[in-house]
RNA sequence: GACCCCUUCGUUCAGCGGUUAGGACUCUAGGUUUUCAUCCUAGCAACACGGGUUCGAUUCCCGUAGGGGUCGCCA
């Protein structure tokens, strides 16, 4: 039997990271088993389910590469079916109407639990059991005539012929009810897999309040979809060996629900950043160049003729797209900003300006002005003057780039060119001495 | 409160009766005879606690503690 999994979010404008990881696991499982991955939009909450919210959801799916099979099912189109099923359950004695007196809410339809214990084998948590005494009847149709989540969710899973329901841990209690419903409806019961929650930095489950946990935010922060996907896949799961940076195909091949952990996991942004850096380094030079050019263009900067050399120098140092502008601006313009702390720390002593003056003099006479020659000249200067590299190089770097860290200085100087370097050194001296 | 779930380094993933308890991220120290956000090497750092079972428990069982989830008209 071919497997069919689904991602069934309610489009509230933002999909948070825990939900998206559920989507990732559903996708991986479907792809691993050669089955289908379906999307269902649970848009019955009319107030929150706006067209924009749905658009945001679809864009997030697309961005992460979570391609789905078949046309998405919009739950709101199925209300009649849901209601009809409630009537059927009523007719078959699996549900009853009740007018909860005193509240003035009117009559609702309530599902009658079978009165027997229910047990199922969760694909990640193992056997789970609940005794009849611990399960109460529950509302299927509100007194205002609308179906509740349980009814809609189960019926749509039946409609979409879902074989594995892979969802968050917070649904385990619902599962007992859902199983009772499948049986009452005469439908085959799917398998269930409950994923542990992803918790925030405080160790608490992500909530709407954790504004930094939306998928779109990772995109705007400059993370790559592939890196985020890779990181998310590793939250609660591992291939069983020590691989971490993996291609999608590798993840698909190795994925299995039985090796998913059942304890909650916390996101570590630092590791995500590291992983993103791994993806940057793995980029083809052309891709990296294109990304840099596009990013710099957003602040109307164009990279000069030494672009290739600059990209080669920077690719291993950039960890995330948003690093590009701060790290590369000085290559594109003389109008770079000085890191105040760096200036304070390294350009405070008066004698440093004399040193810079001397360096400028030496560099001026250099021919050719390539990295090797520059490097040698700087070394000679330090040695002959009985100076320390640490006292000379950092100020020079700040002078030409405004920053206290960056790639090897000699190639940087060579790329900037003699005239530019001299101008920058003199500008710096004039400004801070 | 009731029911259910979870518990290995700061984080994450291994380990599934006998291991010097491993990898990764972070951090620290050294190195790459200059910076450094890269790279290399080394290092710090964990089995929540208490009982069992067993020749032997991180591993199996039972408790305790802590955390989380759910509890008839949210999804």
């Amino acid at each position: 039997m071919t497997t069919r999994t689904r991602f069934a979010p309610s489009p509230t404008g933002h999909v948070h990271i825990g939900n998206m990881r559920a989507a990732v696991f559903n996708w991986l499982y479907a792809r691993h088993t050669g089955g289908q991955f379906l999307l269902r939009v649970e848009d019955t909450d009319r107030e929150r389910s706006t067209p924009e919210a749905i658009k945001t959801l679809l864009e997030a799916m697309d961005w992460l590469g979570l391609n789905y099979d078949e046309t998405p099912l919009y739950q709101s189109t199925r209300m009649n079916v849901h209601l009809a099923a409630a009537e059927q359950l009523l007719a078959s004695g699996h549900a009853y109407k009740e007018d909860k007196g005193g509240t003035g809410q009117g009559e609702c339809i309530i599902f009658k639990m079978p009165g027997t214990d229910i047990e199922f084998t969760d694909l990640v948590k193992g056997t789970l059991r609940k005794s009849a005494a611990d399960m109460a009847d529950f509302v299927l149709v509100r007194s205002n005539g609308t179906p509740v989540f349980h009814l809609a969710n189960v019926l749509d899973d039946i409609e979409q012929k879902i074989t594995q329901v892979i969802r968050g841990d917070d649904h385990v209690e619902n599962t007992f009810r859902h199983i009772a419903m499948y049986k009452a409806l005469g439908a085959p019961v799917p398998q269930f897999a409950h994923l542990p929650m992803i918790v925030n930095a405080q160790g608490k489950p992500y909530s709407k309040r954790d504004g930094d946990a939306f998928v779109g935010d990772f995109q705007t922060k400059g993370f790559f979809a592939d890196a985020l996907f890779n990181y998310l896949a590793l939250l609660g799961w591992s291939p069983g060996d020590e691989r971490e940076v993996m291609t999608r195909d590798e993840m698909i091949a190795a994925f299995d629900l039985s090796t998913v952990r059942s304890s909650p996991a916390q996101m570590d942004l630092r590791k995500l950043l590291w992983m993103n850096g791994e993806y940057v380094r793995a980029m083809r030079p052309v891709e990296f160049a294109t990304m840099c050019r596009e990013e710099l263009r957003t602040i109307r900067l164009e990279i000069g003729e030494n672009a290739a050399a600059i990209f080669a120098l920077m690719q291993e140092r950039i960890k995330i797209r948003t690093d590009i502008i701060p790290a590369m601006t000085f290559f594109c313009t003389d109008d770079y900003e000085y890191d105040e702390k760096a200036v304070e720390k390294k350009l405070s002593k008066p004698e440093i300006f004399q040193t810079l003056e001397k360096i400028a003099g030496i560099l001026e006479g250099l021919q050719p002005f390539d990295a090797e020659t520059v490097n040698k000249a700087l070394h000679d200067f330090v040695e002959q003057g009985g100076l320390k590299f640490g006292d000379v190089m950092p100020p020079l770097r700040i002078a030409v780039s405004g920053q206290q860290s960056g790639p090897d200085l000699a190639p940087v100087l060579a790329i900037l060119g003699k005239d530019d370097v001299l101008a920058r050194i003199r500008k710096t001296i004039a400004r801070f001495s």
Side-chain angles (χ1 to χ4, degrees):
Chain A
M1 185 176 67
T2 141
T3 61
R4 290 166 68 86
T5 67
R6 49 62 165 185
F7 179 46
S10 55
T12 58
H14 297 285
V15 191
H16 78 72
I17 206 69
N19 268 134
M20 210 34 127
R21 196 208 38 171
V24 166
F25 280 35
N26 271 282
W27 186 91
L28 280 170
Y29 186 76
R31 298 297 172 242
H32 173 76
T33 54
Q36 281 100 47
F37 170 66
L38 309 183
L39 176 64
R40 178 166 80 240
V41 183
E42 300 207 332
D43 57 346
T44 52
D45 184 334
R46 289 300 167 78
E47 287 179 22
R48 292 190 296 173
S49 300
T50 63
E52 298 76 51
I54 291 171
K55 186 164 169 276
T56 303
L57 165 69
L58 296 180
E59 281 171 357
M61 299 283 291
D62 188 51
W63 181 63
L64 269 181
L66 294 169
N67 59 314
Y68 40 85
D69 305 294
E70 304 181 9
T71 313
L73 180 65
Y74 287 83
Q75 189 162 73
S76 60
T77 65
R78 308 232 323 136
M79 203 200 291
N80 290 340
V81 177
H82 301 155
L83 260 19
E87 289 299 329
Q88 181 196 323
L89 289 169
L90 227 32
S92 63
H94 291 291
Y96 56 92
K97 287 188 174 178
E98 185 176 293
D99 187 350
K100 204 176 178 188
T103 62
Q105 291 184 82
E107 232 172 25
C108 59
I109 301 177
I110 293 176
F111 183 80
K112 193 177 164 196
M113 289 300 282
T116 55
D117 295 359
I118 295 178
E119 178 181 300
F120 70 98
T121 302
D122 190 284
L123 263 20
V124 343
K125 302 171 96 71
T127 301
L128 301 176
R129 182 180 300 110
K130 194 118 178 147
S131 67
D134 293 321
M135 296 182 288
D137 298 350
F138 59 95
V139 173
L140 282 180
V141 179
R142 299 185 187 91
S143 44
N144 69 7
T146 59
V148 302
F149 162 75
H150 303 295
L151 181 60
N153 187 265
V154 165
L155 282 163
D156 290 350
D157 278 340
I158 292 171
E159 168 70 16
Q160 291 189 296
K161 299 185 170 58
I162 302 304
T163 55
Q164 278 80 20
V165 174
I166 304 166
R167 70 215 319 192
D169 228 350
D170 49 338
H171 282 293
V172 293
E173 299 290 327
N174 291 334
T175 302
F176 297 101
R177 298 185 175 120
H178 293 180
I179 287 171
M181 289 176 69
Y182 280 100
K183 289 183 173 164
L185 288 160
V189 181
Q191 291 187 294
F192 292 90
H194 289 97
L195 275 17
M197 309 298 275
I198 292 184
V199 296
N200 63 21
Q202 287 71 45
K204 302 288 181 187
Y206 272 118
S207 70
K208 303 85 208 165
R209 290 205 194 97
D210 293 297
D212 58 349
F214 299 125
V215 178
D217 295 334
F218 289 91
Q219 187 177 10
T220 55
K221 280 177 189 164
F223 289 101
F224 291 163
D226 283 339
L228 182 61
F229 183 101
N230 193 160
Y231 180 76
L232 252 24
L234 258 24
L235 231 40
W237 174 79
S238 85
D241 49 41
E242 285 170 353
R243 286 178 292 165
E244 290 197 316
V245 179
M246 301 171 73
T247 65
R248 293 224 180 185
D249 285 343
E250 288 171 334
M251 288 186 265
I252 289 169
F255 190 77
D256 190 4
L257 286 171
S258 67
T259 52
V260 171
R261 281 174 60 89
S262 49
S263 52
Q266 193 174 91
M267 280 201 82
D268 183 354
L269 277 328
R270 291 173 305 186
K271 181 145 188 180
L272 208 209
L273 183 62
W274 165 80
M275 182 164 277
N276 205 74
E278 293 295 301
Y279 275 81
V280 172
R281 300 172 61 153
M283 287 174 101
R284 300 208 319 276
V286 205
E287 294 175 318
F288 181 71
T290 303
M291 175 177 72
C292 290
R293 285 209 161 89
E294 282 173 1
E295 188 69 9
L296 289 165
R297 210 162 285 150
T298 62
I299 54 167
R300 298 214 180 92
L301 286 180
E302 290 290 342
I303 202 137
E305 65 235 47
N306 291 318
I310 295 170
F311 293 142
L313 214 48
M314 297 308 289
Q315 184 162 2
E316 68 175 21
R317 317 181 71 81
I318 299 287
K319 281 192 172 162
I320 187 169
R321 201 189 67 234
T322 42
D323 277 350
I324 293 171
I325 288 176
M328 291 178 66
T329 294
F330 79 91
F331 277 121
C332 308
T333 173
D334 292 342
D335 189 26
Y336 50 90
E337 287 181 11
Y338 289 88
D339 178 334
E340 284 182 34
K341 278 186 183 170
V343 169
E344 195 177 322
K345 196 172 166 190
K346 299 288 184 181
L347 292 181
S348 54
K349 294 177 183 168
E351 54 269 30
I352 196 62
F353 298 103
Q354 292 166 14
T355 306
L356 286 175
E357 198 78 66
K358 284 181 198 163
I359 292 173
I362 290 169
L363 293 176
E364 191 162 19
L366 246 38
Q367 196 61 251
F369 198 77
D370 58 30
E372 199 181 331
T373 315
V374 169
N375 193 41
K376 185 172 186 309
L378 290 173
H379 274 251
D380 290 346
F381 172 74
V382 169
E383 279 174 29
Q384 285 163 18
L387 303 166
K388 285 183 182 171
F389 285 106
D391 291 333
V392 174
M393 305 301 260
L396 180 57
R397 175 187 296 285
I398 295 164
V400 300
S401 73
Q403 299 174 327
Q404 60 182 334
S405 63
D408 277 347
L409 200 42
V412 167
L413 298 182
I415 286 169
L416 289 171
K418 188 194 286 183
D419 294 346
D420 202 354
V421 168
L422 295 178
R424 289 181 182 206
I425 291 176
R426 287 179 177 135
K427 178 185 77 171
T428 304
I429 292 172
R431 177 162 168 183
F432 296 105
S433 66

